[in-house]
Amino acid sequence: MTCIFVCSECPDGARRLSMIAGAIAGEECGIRASACLSGCRSGGSVAVRAPGRMAWLFGPVEEGDLDDLRRFLGLYRADPKGVIHDARPLTRLRFKVLARIPAA
């Protein structure tokens, strides 16, 4: 299952967690608060990972990025390795990628 981690130590972490949870309601996706994700320069860090797939770290994720985040989840699930081959549909969110971590 795909899981979204929201940094609880970034400013407005609890609000961001709630906002993302509302935006992805109905998706087959877990969401949880996490201690520091080390995206501190950007703030508002959010990570996405699933077993056998690439992990992604974004920041800052803001309210205006929620549609892009939903699009990202669709593209992420569509590729068996979680690789996004064309990030242009993610508009603003594609410029907020802090890290892509290959699957183990």
Side-chain angles (χ1 to χ4, degrees):
M1 173 162 69
T2 303
C3 192
I4 297 176
F5 299 89
V6 178
C7 183
S8 61
E9 296 180 24
C10 285
D12 296 324
R15 184 185 66 77
R16 185 171 292 101
L17 178 70
S18 177
M19 177 180 68
I20 292 172
I24 65 162
E27 298 268 350
E28 289 184 29
C29 193
I31 184 166
R32 62 183 72 142
S34 178
C36 184
L37 295 172
S38 293
C40 302
R41 281 192 218 169
S42 297
S45 298
V46 172
V48 178
R49 70 176 314 143
R53 294 176 185 249
M54 180 174 284
W56 292 74
L57 178 64
F58 298 97
V61 175
E62 302 162 317
E63 191 169 355
D65 300 318
L66 296 179
D67 287 339
D68 289 347
L69 184 61
R70 282 191 297 273
R71 269 191 294 281
F72 167 82
L73 290 171
L75 293 170
Y76 184 74
R77 288 190 188 118
D79 187 273
K81 297 286 185 188
V83 176
I84 308 300
H85 297 282
D86 182 2
R88 288 177 293 182
L90 303 179
T91 59
R92 289 180 4 156
L93 191 61
R94 71 183 172 139
F95 299 111
K96 297 181 177 195
V97 175
L98 301 176
R100 296 181 325 155
I101 304 159

